[in-house]
Amino acid sequence: MQQHWYTGPLASFDTETTGVDVENDRIVSAALVVQLAPGAPTRTTTWLADPGVPIPDGARAVHGITDERVRAHGRPAGTVVAEVASALAAEARAGHPVVVMNAPYDLTLLDRELRRHHGLTLAAGPAADGLVVLDPRVLDKHVDRYRKGRRTLTDLCAHYGVELAGAHEAAADATAALALTRRIGARYPAALGGLTALELHLRQAVWHAAQARGLQSWFDRSGTPERVDLSWPLRPARCGCGRRLEPGHGCEAAA
């Protein structure tokens, strides 16, 4: 009997942070959940980081993590982000696809934290070697593109009948995103089931770009100045001049 990607081993990654700016905000907590098959027990690893900056009231209202808690029980952010990157690398070496809801947010923020604390990048580090990402937000938009309504994790779990207990807690969100991704694959086997996880990873980059272009067109028509990044699953770093940071960039702002 053929095993589809959604019936095999999956990992799932999520973070809680100081805000939504991937370039400047910091990781406060993170979780990695691994499940070898649907219905099998999960193995969960969690991290609590002292981000080194105050946690804004708005972020604290979402995830409930206080400055006092991270100072008393969190570990240095540099230590945490290095361990998280190593854990993702281990899942890549094991051949486990990693579910990341709205991947360009969590993975880009992790990349910037690695740059900030270690001068390393997620794109060129060990986690990039074989890391296959499954993003339920992109998958859902592809298979049911004309459905109206929001597509947050809470909304998607409600739509697909997946339990989300303790929203905005990293382990709970990662667990729900993993179950959600399995549910999407099982519901749309014709569209998704015949592909390998690696093929899906590559196609999601194309699907996300198309979805982002559609959103940008809507913003443009409505007069909204917001710009949508087409990159998936990781947004490229940019220097002060706005261009991508690449070898040989040669811009004084990158110095």
Side-chain angles (χ1 to χ4, degrees):
M1 181 177 177
Q2 180 184 5
Q3 184 181 65
H4 299 288
W5 60 265
Y6 53 85
T7 62
L10 293 178
S12 185
F13 173 63
D14 188 70
T15 65
E16 299 299 334
T17 65
T18 61
V20 297
D21 181 351
V22 296
E23 301 296 339
N24 298 298
D25 278 309
R26 312 296 176 90
I27 290 174
V28 174
S29 68
L32 182 67
V33 177
V34 181
Q35 185 185 47
L36 299 183
T42 57
R43 171 172 52 84
T44 301
T45 305
T46 61
W47 295 267
L48 182 67
D50 181 348
V53 298
I55 300 172
D57 291 344
R60 187 172 64 252
V62 172
H63 52 60
I65 302 174
T66 64
D67 291 328
E68 293 75 18
R69 181 180 169 192
V70 298
R71 289 168 186 160
H73 304 290
R75 293 187 296 144
T79 300
V80 168
V81 298
E83 288 185 6
V84 168
S86 294
L88 290 176
E91 296 307 314
R93 290 193 298 271
H96 297 167
V98 179
V99 173
V100 190
M101 172 71 186
N102 193 17
Y105 171 75
D106 291 270
L107 294 184
T108 302
L109 205 148
L110 174 60
D111 175 82
R112 302 315 190 251
E113 285 276 62
L114 283 169
R115 291 172 183 268
R116 183 176 297 120
H117 293 286
H118 301 288
L120 302 173
T121 72
L122 191 63
D129 186 15
L131 184 65
V132 173
V133 177
L134 299 173
D135 187 336
R137 188 168 184 265
V138 175
L139 296 176
D140 173 69
K141 281 187 173 184
H142 176 71
V143 297
D144 197 359
R145 67 189 68 183
Y146 299 115
R147 189 178 79 249
K148 295 185 181 298
R150 301 173 65 200
R151 305 199 193 213
T152 66
L153 179 61
T154 300
D155 297 317
L156 292 183
C157 285
H159 178 74
Y160 285 95
V162 172
E163 181 181 5
L164 174 55
H168 302 299
E169 191 275 324
D173 286 356
T175 299
L178 192 154
L180 171 64
T181 302
R182 290 197 190 278
R183 188 68 56 87
I184 294 173
R187 183 173 294 189
Y188 296 98
L192 304 174
L195 300 170
T196 66
L198 177 57
E199 289 170 334
L200 269 181
H201 176 100
L202 298 173
R203 295 195 186 193
Q204 282 171 108
V206 177
W207 297 342
H208 175 271
Q211 294 161 8
R213 290 189 189 99
L215 179 59
Q216 186 66 67
S217 295
W218 186 86
F219 282 152
D220 293 344
R221 291 195 302 272
S222 63
T224 302
E226 186 172 347
R227 309 309 298 173
V228 182
D229 198 307
L230 305 186
S231 305
W232 183 96
L234 180 66
R235 297 175 190 169
R238 300 180 185 277
C239 80
C241 74
R243 292 173 57 193
R244 294 188 180 191
L245 279 175
E246 298 172 341
H249 179 61
C251 176
E252 291 183 0

